[in-house]
Amino acid sequence: MGARGRWMRFLLLLLWLFGGLPVVAAEEVRPTRLTFCYEDKESFPWVMPEGRGLNLLLLRQVATALDLQVNWVAVPWRRCLAGLEKGVYDGAFAASYMTERLVHGAYPLDGDGRVDESKRLHTQAYGLYSRKDDAVGWNGSEFRQLQGSIGTLSGFSIVDFLRLHGAVVVESSRDPEALLYMLATRRVQAVALQVQRADHVLQKNAELAAVIDKASLPLETKAYYLMLSHQLQQRQPQLARQIWEEVQRQRESSSYREQMNRLLQP
């Protein structure tokens, strides 16, 4: 470096030291690509074959609005949560709120530190399904004439609710149709499933629909969220907030509502 170069470098250093040059604040660097996982089983209307479904539609709108590149990975739900905890995945959907899941990742929170339901992906009710020739039921607060076990999907949050109300729970399947066949063949006395998911199976399967009824009152209604990894939230807290805020914005958008109504039309 010549004398002129050294002199210019010295002047720039003086200007910086005495405030002559603006100090550029550190900014979060956007990742080139995020990876979100979801359960590898159909969950009408939220996740459907060939990358369709309302959750995928909503989150694609979020990614477009925020100019994010996202990889979508379908895996068993327990593996999805385990990968989120390790930082293999940046996000996991759709997850209802459970305190024990906080070890896996983060939920959107409000100003009081409580899960913020306004940032949900969707709301879903659980129903009790039984054979038409069985008197087992649910009256809104307790089970009636329940002598056997209740089957439900492995790893799902409704398990705690069922046990809290005195049920023996069987978590032997990840497939709603397989669970309904277990019910039809009396291997369990009832099953607890997300209503739209189970109703969709019954609409397509006349054999099961002929012998199975749904209780008139829902067991429980839950909000479901996009969880983000602790690693992403700690590394880029502003981006995490933007993603959850955009989920709310896109869920309430006219374009999303139009497509949701179209898909849910009978």
Side-chain angles (χ1 to χ4, degrees), residues 163-194:
R163 288 178 175 152
L164 182 65
H165 287 83
V168 175
V169 181
V170 174
E171 298 179 80
S172 62
S173 177
R174 295 193 301 115
D175 185 343
E177 188 169 32
L179 272 178
L180 291 168
Y181 269 113
M182 288 175 63
L183 173 60
T185 55
R186 304 182 190 276
R187 292 169 59 192
V188 291
Q189 190 181 6
V191 298
L193 286 169
Q194 294 161 330

Side-chain angles (χ1 to χ4, degrees), residues 95-152:
S96 61
Y97 180 79
M98 297 175 66
T99 54
E100 53 264 44
R101 284 182 179 162
L102 293 174
V103 69
H104 301 303
Y107 292 88
L109 303 178
D110 62 19
D112 296 322
R114 295 173 298 195
V115 64
D116 188 348
E117 192 167 331
S118 71
K119 306 299 190 298
R120 68 191 182 279
L121 292 172
H122 68 268
T123 302
Q124 174 75 67
Y126 274 88
L128 183 73
Y129 294 80
S130 61
R131 288 182 56 94
K132 293 181 177 181
D133 59 3
D134 193 331
V136 66
W138 168 253
N139 65 9
S141 60
E142 62 184 5
F143 294 107
R144 295 183 294 103
Q145 300 189 45
L146 177 65
Q147 287 90 36
S149 57
I150 297 179
T152 194

Side-chain angles (χ1 to χ4, degrees), residues 8-20:
M8 291 299 297
R9 186 175 179 182
F10 175 70
L11 285 177
L12 289 171
L13 177 61
L14 286 177
L15 286 169
W16 181 81
L17 288 172
F18 291 99

Side-chain angles (χ1 to χ4, degrees), residues 3 47 55 61 65 67 69 87 103 119 140 148 156 163 197 202 209 249:
V47 174
N55 280 342
Q61 290 186 192
D67 195 24
Q69 302 260 334
V103 69
K119 306 299 190 298
F156 277 49
R163 288 178 175 152
R197 194 170 185 178
L202 293 174
R249 188 175 296 112

Side-chain angles (χ1 to χ4, degrees), residues 4-52:
R4 181 180 175 83
R6 287 195 295 272
W7 176 246
M8 291 299 297
R9 186 175 179 182
F10 175 70
L11 285 177
L12 289 171
L13 177 61
L14 286 177
L15 286 169
W16 181 81
L17 288 172
F18 291 99
L21 291 178
V23 177
V24 179
E27 295 182 358
E28 290 185 0
V29 178
R30 285 281 185 97
T32 56
R33 188 174 290 273
L34 298 176
T35 301
F36 290 170
C37 66
Y38 59 96
E39 192 191 15
D40 60 343
K41 293 289 184 182
E42 180 177 354
S43 179
F44 179 87
W46 313 113
V47 174
M48 296 163 64
E50 301 174 356
R52 297 178 298 117

